Amino acid sequence: MEQLLVHCANAIESNDATLAQQILWVLNNIATPDGDSNQRLTCGFLRALISRAAQSGSCKILAAAMANAHSNLVVNTHKFSVIELANFVDLTPWHRFGFTAANAAILEAIEGFSVVHIVDLSLTHCMQIPTLIDALASRHEVPPLIKLTIAGATHDIPPMLDLSYDELGSKLINFARSRNVILEFRVVPSSYSDGFGTLIEHLRVTQQQNLIYAADQNRSEALVINCHMMLHYIPEETLSSISSPYDFELNNLSPASSLRSIFLKAVRSLDPTIVVLVDEDADLTSTNLVCRLKSAFNYLWIPYDTVDTFLPKGSKQRQWYEADICWKIENVIAHEGLQRVERVEPKTKWAQRMRNANFHGITFGEDAVSEVKTMLDEHAAGWGLKKEDEDLVLTWKGHNVVFATALVACLTKFIS
């Protein structure tokens, strides 16, 4: 099926409508949306190729006919309630692995601070935060004050939430109060598309104010940058024409630098107590469609394979789960330029970026490893954990899925 998809992609790219039509009809007959995991995966790529063909030269009419004939190829992503999303996240270690590893590293890093400022750049709309609040409440007789800042930037990326950020903040504040934790919640309108420039500027200003106030009040404040599957939406080198909101003179950076590298160096300039990065361990950044298709196919079989172990066929949750994967496939295959936001990079690439920004990794403690293993025991056999250097990696049947890395600023003088 992968080879058929590759041939079809090549036909579409060369505007060979006859060959594309032949392959599309073959794929349509063998890649059913209710078949086994490999058929459903291929069906997702089929729909994405039809969508791409609809934008390509002589293949437009063909794609329109295919799309009209097969309405089941349309992706309908679900807007979750908070309860639905919490239950959805709990179904699989895909996100829980990162939550567990990150919380353990954060709890260790903030020990002794009376105020903890968490900047939560998370794809899952703060679903990690209640477990962190619970842990703080159980560990401290007088928990630290929590300042939570988020960027209002993920309203258009699955999983989607059916309530406003203000409503989400109210729920989190009330939950924290029930655990005797004081939580302050702030939303900064800032987008991944410009490297969260507005957020960084906001943090710089508030950091200066906080330093003065903290000195007056004789209290210490930790800054935690928690990045959960969000940074790969920041444009990378293949979108080098993107203008940056950052001050190049201040950061001593070239305008040719990618926004990812610029963002990380801007974060380093804030001197955070800890940075935690959790993301998918794959490479979906190639400018070549066929290379990107192969990488995506050989990574995204994993969620389709795992879903059979925890969700019954025909269930609503399974439809929601696979619709979100299909959205990712379509974005990777059917779009280019700014519209293609699913630009996942492998762990090795992020490690290099972090070193260039003057961060170094720290080892996850035994408690973190133990908690992750305990969490994995709640899920189907096939999930595993391994350590690579200082990082933790979630695996499925031996294949890398998601990585977690904890970083601190190098002690040497920061050089941009």
Side-chain angles (χ1 to χ4, degrees):
M1 289 190 186
E2 181 186 359
Q3 283 302 309
L4 283 172
L5 290 168
V6 167
H7 290 318
C8 187
N10 279 323
I12 291 170
E13 291 301 274
S14 60
N15 265 325
D16 188 338
T18 300
L19 179 58
Q21 179 180 15
Q22 292 172 347
I23 301 173
L24 285 171
W25 282 113
V26 171
L27 284 168
N28 184 66
N29 287 326
I30 62 175
T32 56
D34 57 353
D36 62 29
S37 61
N38 202 39
Q39 289 173 315
R40 302 197 310 277
L41 169 67
T42 305
C43 182
F45 279 87
L46 168 65
R47 189 206 61 260
L49 286 172
I50 291 173
S51 179
R52 187 178 182 93
Q55 308 166 47
S56 306
S58 61
C59 290
K60 287 184 178 179
I61 297 176
L62 158 67
M66 287 287 293
N68 289 334
H70 303 282
S71 59
N72 60 358
L73 296 177
V74 176
V75 178
N76 293 309
T77 53
H78 177 70
K79 281 199 171 185
F80 292 87
S81 69
V82 169
I83 298 299
E84 284 176 341
L85 183 56
N87 291 334
F88 186 74
V89 165
D90 282 345
L91 288 172
T92 166
W94 203 279
H95 292 293
R96 288 190 73 200
F97 159 78
F99 293 175
T100 306
N103 283 350
I106 291 169
L107 287 169
E108 185 173 340
I110 65 176
E111 190 69 39
F113 286 92
S114 55
V115 182
V116 179
H117 185 184
I118 302 171
V119 181
D120 192 41
L121 298 175
S122 171
L123 186 65
T124 57
H125 309 284
C126 301
M127 288 296 109
Q128 176 182 339
I129 301 303
T131 56
L132 182 58
I133 291 171
D134 262 338
L136 284 169
S138 63
R139 286 166 65 112
H140 300 274
E141 187 174 336
V142 181
L145 165 67
I146 303 297
K147 298 179 180 179
L148 178 62
T149 299
I150 70 169
T154 61
H155 57 86
D156 56 345
I157 298 174
M160 300 176 187
L161 203 56
D162 72 347
L163 76 168
S164 69
Y165 289 120
D166 288 340
E167 292 171 314
L168 176 62
S170 295
K171 289 181 180 295
L172 287 168
I173 290 170
N174 289 334
F175 175 82
R177 187 180 295 122
S178 73
R179 300 298 189 272
N180 295 317
V181 174
I182 299 173
L183 174 71
E184 297 176 1
F185 181 84
R186 179 179 290 106
V187 180
V188 178
S190 189
S191 174
Y192 55 81
S193 62
D194 67 358
F196 296 110
T198 305
L199 174 66
I200 293 294
E201 184 57 33
H202 169 81
L203 293 174
R204 280 186 178 142
V205 172
T206 56
Q207 190 176 58
Q208 292 300 317
Q209 296 170 344
N210 291 340
L211 284 172
I212 297 171
Y213 182 76
D216 290 341
Q217 299 296 314
N218 192 29
R219 67 183 192 179
S220 56
E221 180 166 324
L223 175 61
V224 175
I225 310 294
N226 185 61
C227 308
H228 184 91
M229 300 191 187
M230 178 60 68
L231 296 197
H232 71 253
Y233 292 101
I234 299 175
E236 33 69 64
E237 284 78 2
T238 60
L239 283 174
S240 57
S241 61
I242 301 300
S243 60
S244 168
Y246 293 97
D247 186 335
F248 291 114
E249 186 175 338
L250 173 65
N251 290 291
N252 193 26
L253 291 164
S254 162
S257 299
S258 79
L259 281 180
R260 292 187 186 183
S261 297
I262 295 172
F263 169 80
L264 293 177
K265 290 190 177 185
V267 168
R268 172 61 184 86
S269 71
L270 298 171
D271 198 22
T273 308
I274 188 171
V275 176
V276 183
L277 172 60
V278 174
D279 218 315
E280 297 166 330
D281 197 5
D283 188 353
L284 306 180
T285 61
S286 175
T287 56
N288 180 278
L289 174 63
V290 169
C291 289
R292 211 160 64 236
L293 187 151
K294 288 180 177 179
S295 292
F297 192 87
N298 286 286
Y299 177 70
L300 293 174
W301 69 270
I302 295 172
Y304 277 97
D305 193 45
T306 64
V307 75
D308 291 337
T309 67
F310 64 86
L311 287 176
K313 187 176 181 179
S315 70
K316 284 187 176 181
Q317 284 187 318
R318 180 153 158 175
Q319 292 171 13
W320 299 341
Y321 185 87
E322 296 194 353
D324 284 2
I325 307 169
C326 284
W327 185 94
K328 183 189 287 280
I329 294 171
E330 182 164 343
N331 190 264
V332 170
I333 300 302
H335 299 291
E336 297 293 350
L338 289 172
Q339 287 184 310
R340 180 160 63 85
V341 298
E342 282 287 348
R343 295 171 176 267
V344 175
E345 285 186 322
K347 180 172 74 73
T348 52
K349 181 66 175 179
W350 281 113
Q352 183 61 54
R353 290 193 189 280
M354 288 296 186
R355 286 193 295 271
N356 291 345
N358 214 37
F359 287 102
H360 71 87
I362 56 175
T363 303
F364 286 89
E366 292 182 7
D367 287 348
V369 174
S370 176
E371 287 179 33
V372 170
K373 287 181 177 178
T374 300
M375 181 273 297
L376 291 181
D377 287 341
E378 300 173 14
H379 296 278
W383 292 106
L385 172 69
K386 66 180 180 180
K387 296 190 72 172
E388 291 185 355
D389 301 319
E390 293 92 1
D391 307 328
L392 297 182
V393 181
L394 175 69
T395 63
W396 173 254
K397 297 180 179 178
H399 297 269
N400 285 17
V401 182
V402 176
F403 69 89
T405 182
L407 306 115
V408 295
C410 293
L411 294 177
T412 54
K413 184 179 179 180
F414 175 56
I415 301 173
S416 297

